[in-house]
Amino acid sequence: MTKTKVEAVKAARVWCLAALLAFAGLAHADLVGPVVAIQDGDTIDVLVNRQPVRVRLAQIDAPEKRQAFGTRSRQALAELVFRQSVRVAETGRDRYGRVIGKGLTRLAWSQT
């Protein structure tokens, strides 16, 4: 292989690695913002860039609104995070297009 071909292959590998790392960083990110709505005991809306983002909290199995204790489950989550600034680690999306969030953390500062 000639020297220019070897350099071209190396440059292509570097470019592919850089592109892979860039897209990997975009795939999952932290969402930061105030909680503007509680859908049920495991689903919230977080305001990010003036747009509500529906987040299904991972590893929580809460009753739906119309199931037994569904209203109480929603109220309990609201007491914890409604109108609070939070950080949620995005781990993907579910079949309904909601963000799957892991590691919900209330932040000490407020976005008022």
Side-chain angles (χ1 to χ4, degrees):
M1 199 180 292
T2 66
K3 186 176 179 180
T4 55
K5 286 184 180 180
V6 171
E7 289 174 358
V9 169
K10 286 181 182 180
R13 286 181 183 167
V14 169
W15 184 87
C16 288
L17 181 60
L20 180 64
L21 291 174
F23 287 118
L26 294 175
H28 302 292
D30 284 353
L31 302 174
V32 178
V35 176
V36 294
I38 308 292
Q39 300 303 316
D40 56 26
D42 58 11
T43 307
I44 61 175
D45 286 351
V46 178
L47 196 63
V48 179
N49 296 327
R50 298 183 184 178
Q51 294 291 326
V53 176
R54 182 129 318 152
V55 178
R56 165 73 165 78
L57 301 174
Q59 300 173 342
I60 295 177
D61 187 17
E64 302 302 320
K65 285 188 235 182
R66 295 187 177 127
Q67 293 178 333
F69 298 100
T71 300
R72 182 64 189 122
S73 175
R74 182 176 178 268
Q75 289 171 345
L77 183 59
E79 289 172 7
L80 292 172
V81 297
F82 185 62
R83 293 187 177 167
Q84 300 290 315
S85 292
V86 298
R87 177 185 313 272
V88 181
E90 180 181 347
T91 61
R93 295 204 174 245
D94 67 6
R95 64 182 178 202
Y96 303 110
R98 299 177 295 190
V99 169
I100 299 173
K102 188 174 181 180
L104 175 71
T105 305
R106 282 191 311 180
L107 301 176
W109 51 273
S110 176
Q111 291 184 349
T112 55

